[in-house]
């Protein structure tokens, strides 16, 4: 994809042969493959094992994990051979299927990211009015629409690539004419990158504007400022990583068609780096959307401990006897009646007061937790009254 030629066909005359990239690139591709596969698989396992798929955001995060995992599995192994072998060795059918699956999962991933930004904006800006819209049923319908659009936009790539002979080598190369290739590549840039970036930027900009302008009279200024700074960092990371990881690839692609991009050793290295950055985006998404959550970290530890051989289950400690004084928490109602149980958006980890025995519900996107009022009362029997 983005050229589709092999290493031997992509170098300049006299530069063919095994270079440093033949050793460095397989290691980088292997690292991306391992991190992306393990990270996205852990996201899916935590969501499935924890029963967290009743939340709309978790459904979108699950779909994002599926798309990123499919992108890593379908893209990285075959692209590693493109940059290390002198020819395409997998046949004509795999040449067509691999590039179709690459663009299918790429579209699904970018569309899901844009949908998540809209979902978060509605959940934060309109927590009451969006309850009827943000339902699991509508989320599943949106996911079906995402894959339908991804299938429609990636369908032409079934005929875009074909196995051909080029410079005495068998390569998986674009077979369309230059005008048709330029039109399809421009369409891919607009619908898989430009429009999702505009949606991401608009949704997150409005979310930030609302968060910084809203006043939280319960949490107080210091707690609210800490929560807002945390939300700001996460939102900037989410938007900027997607834009930065995919920008070099699309910039080089546009330079090929509308600028000056000679085939030299330097441009060959730039193309490799642009591909590595775009692949890395599917590796960092699990970190951004899940590893920032303490709920995911707990699920991650449980899964890892369960995979250890010879693991012994710790005996449960007996319950403590009740003391003479109990604490009855009187929780203040939350500002939003909807409890967001998304493991990817529980960003606030403020400590809960030790006196509160009842758990405080987690709030989405770093909202400051509502303080809990504790009313102590004596439950022991007083001294008997004197009888006359």
């Amino acid at each position: 994809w983005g050229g589709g030629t092999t290493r031997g066909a992509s170098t300049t005359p006299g530069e063919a042969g095994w270079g440093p990239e033949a050793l460095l690139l397989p290691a980088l591709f292997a690292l991306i493959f391992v991190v992306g596969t393990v990270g996205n698989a852990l996201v899916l396992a935590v969501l499935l094992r924890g029963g967290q798929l009743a939340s709309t955001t978790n459904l979108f995060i699950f779909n994002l994990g599926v798309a990123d995992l499919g992108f890593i599995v379908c893209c990285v192994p075959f692209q590693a051979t493109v940059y290390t072998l002198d020819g395409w060795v997998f046949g004509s059918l795999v040449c067509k299927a691999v590039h179709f699956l690459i663009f299918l999962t790429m579209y699904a991933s970018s569309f899901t990211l844009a949908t998540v930004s809209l979902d978060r904006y509605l959940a934060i800006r309109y927590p009451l009015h969006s309850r009827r819209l943000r339902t699991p049923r509508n989320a599943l319908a949106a996911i079906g629409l995402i894959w339908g659009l991804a299938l429609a936009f990636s369908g032409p790539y079934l005929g875009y690539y074909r196995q051909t002979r080029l410079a005495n080598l068998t390569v998986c190369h674009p077979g369309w004419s230059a005008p048709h290739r330029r039109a399809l590549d421009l369409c891919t840039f607009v619908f898989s990158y430009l429009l999702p970036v505009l949606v991401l930027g608009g949704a997150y900009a409005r979310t930030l504007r609302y968060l910084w302008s809203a006043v939280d009279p319960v949490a107080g200024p210091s707690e609210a400022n800490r929560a807002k700074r945390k939300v700001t960092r996460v939102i900037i990371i989410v938007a900027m990583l997607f834009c930065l990881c995919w920008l070099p690839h699309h910039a080089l692609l546009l330079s090929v068609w509308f600028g000056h991009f000679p085939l030299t050793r330097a441009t060959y290295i730039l193309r490799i780096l642009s591909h590595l950055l775009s692949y890395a985006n599917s590796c960092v998404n699990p970190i951004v959307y899940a590893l920032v959550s303490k709920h995911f970290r707990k699920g991650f530890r449980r899964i890892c401990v369960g995979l250890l051989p010879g693991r012994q289950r710790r005996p449960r400690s007996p319950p403590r006897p009740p003391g003479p004084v109990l604490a009855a928490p009187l929780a203040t109602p939350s500002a939003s009646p909807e409890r967001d149980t998304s493991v990817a958006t529980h960003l606030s980890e403020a400590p809960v007061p030790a006196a509160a025995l009842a758990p405080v519900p987690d709030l989405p996107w770093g909202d400051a937790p509502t303080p809990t009022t504790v009313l102590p009362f004596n439950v022991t029997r007083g001294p008997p009254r004197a009888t006359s």
Side-chain angles (χ1 to χ4, degrees):
W1 71 309
T5 58
T6 58
R7 180 184 60 86
S10 300
T11 55
T12 56
E15 292 182 341
W18 294 93
E21 69 275 7
L23 299 176
L24 181 60
L25 287 181
L28 294 177
F29 279 111
L31 178 63
I32 292 176
F33 181 81
V34 172
V35 174
T37 302
V38 173
N40 287 287
L42 283 175
V43 172
L44 302 183
V46 170
L47 290 175
L48 289 174
R49 185 175 180 178
Q52 302 288 339
L53 293 182
S55 167
T56 57
T57 302
N58 283 345
L59 287 172
F60 290 129
I61 298 301
F62 184 85
N63 187 63
L64 178 63
V66 171
D68 286 341
L69 183 60
F71 182 86
I72 290 292
V73 173
C74 296
C75 176
V76 173
F78 297 97
Q79 288 299 313
T81 63
V82 166
Y83 288 114
T84 54
L85 300 181
D86 288 329
W88 181 260
V89 297
F90 301 103
S92 177
L93 180 61
V94 178
C95 173
K96 296 177 178 292
V98 163
H99 288 90
F100 165 74
L101 293 175
I102 287 174
F103 284 95
L104 174 68
T105 53
M106 181 188 69
Y107 272 109
S109 180
S110 61
F111 290 163
T112 303
L113 284 171
T115 307
V116 168
S117 67
L118 295 176
D119 175 78
R120 287 292 86 201
Y121 171 72
L122 292 176
I124 295 174
R125 182 64 179 87
Y126 305 102
L128 297 178
H129 296 83
S130 64
R131 293 183 63 190
R132 295 182 179 180
L133 180 63
R134 298 179 58 253
T135 61
R137 182 176 180 179
N138 290 339
L140 292 175
I143 290 174
L145 179 62
I146 286 173
W147 285 100
L149 291 176
L151 182 64
F153 282 111
S154 60
Y157 285 96
L158 283 172
Y160 185 86
Y161 285 86
R162 64 185 61 176
Q163 180 176 294
T164 57
R165 295 286 297 180
L166 180 64
N168 297 324
L169 293 173
T170 301
V171 298
C172 182
H173 192 72
W176 288 9
S177 61
H180 293 87
R181 290 166 55 190
R182 181 170 57 248
L184 184 59
D185 289 343
L186 183 60
C187 178
T188 300
F189 164 73
V190 171
F191 290 100
S192 71
Y193 182 78
L194 183 60
L195 291 182
V197 166
L198 292 178
V199 173
L200 282 169
Y204 286 148
R206 294 179 67 88
T207 301
L208 285 174
R209 180 181 178 183
Y210 172 75
L211 287 174
W212 285 100
S213 61
V215 178
D216 191 351
V218 178
S222 60
E223 189 72 20
N225 288 335
R226 287 195 296 267
K228 290 177 180 179
R229 286 196 297 266
K230 196 170 186 178
V231 171
T232 302
R233 289 196 301 266
V234 173
I235 290 180
I236 291 177
I237 291 174
V238 169
M240 294 302 295
L241 279 179
F242 176 76
C243 298
L244 294 178
C245 288
W246 282 99
L247 179 60
H249 167 73
H250 291 288
L252 291 181
L253 197 62
L254 294 177
S255 299
V256 171
W257 292 118
F258 302 101
H260 180 66
F261 194 79
L263 186 59
T264 63
R265 189 72 175 180
T267 58
Y268 176 62
I269 294 176
L270 287 177
R271 191 181 69 169
I272 294 177
L273 293 178
S274 68
H275 284 182
L276 289 175
L277 279 177
S278 60
Y279 305 154
N281 182 70
S282 297
C283 299
V284 299
N285 282 338
I287 300 174
V288 176
Y289 283 94
L291 292 182
V292 294
S293 169
K294 64 178 181 180
H295 299 271
F296 178 83
R297 288 194 293 270
K298 292 179 180 178
F300 171 78
R301 287 193 295 266
R302 286 195 298 265
I303 292 176
C304 291
V305 171
L307 295 177
L308 293 177
R311 179 181 64 93
Q312 296 181 356
R313 193 180 295 270
R314 293 183 178 180
R316 295 183 179 180
S317 58
R320 297 180 179 179
V325 178
L326 298 180
L330 181 61
T332 305
S334 174
S336 172
E338 179 185 7
R339 180 184 177 184
D340 196 335
T341 59
S342 170
V343 300
T345 53
H346 289 308
L347 303 178
S348 177
E349 300 179 8
V352 181
L357 299 183
V360 180
D362 297 303
L363 298 179
W365 282 94
D367 297 336
T370 304
T372 303
T373 304
V374 180
L375 302 179
F377 60 91
N378 197 341
V379 296
T380 58
R381 186 182 299 275
R385 296 181 180 179
T387 58
S388 57

